[in-house]
Amino acid sequence: MMSRFYDKQYKQWIKNIFARDKYQCQWPNCKHRRTKLNAHHIKKWSDYPGLRFDLSNGITLCKEHHDLIKNNEENYEMFFFKIISNMRREK
């Protein structure tokens, strides 16, 4: 069970991920904006507690793409890190 402190940190992390990603799914060519979005942990929450609230460990995905990677997240880690890296370069 998450503590209130974690709950507050988690909610802020989600807000920060969405803001960084301009409230848009980051899957290439996806046009979903502002609805049915998920802040996805690239490295699993349970396996990497030190990265739980690190902005470089999150990406905004629409429900469709989030569901697409379920139970196969590890295979998408490098893909998502590359997207995040490209975002930084474009700024």
Side-chain angles (χ1 to χ4, degrees), residues 12-65:
Q12 187 60 53
W13 179 82
I14 292 170
K15 287 179 186 179
N16 292 341
I17 294 294
F18 286 170
R20 182 202 63 204
D21 295 347
K22 297 177 177 70
Y23 298 88
Q24 183 172 347
C25 179
Q26 295 302 299
W27 194 275
N29 302 314
C30 183
K31 302 299 181 207
H32 286 119
R33 295 182 67 96
R34 297 202 176 265
T35 58
K36 298 183 181 177
L37 296 178
N38 295 273
H40 172 70
H41 282 91
I42 299 170
K43 294 274 191 186
K44 286 186 177 182
W45 168 280
S46 57
D47 295 342
Y48 296 89
L51 296 176
R52 287 178 178 170
F53 306 113
D54 187 326
L55 292 182
S56 67
N57 188 42
I59 192 165
T60 302
L61 297 174
C62 66
K63 182 180 181 335
E64 179 183 331
H65 287 116

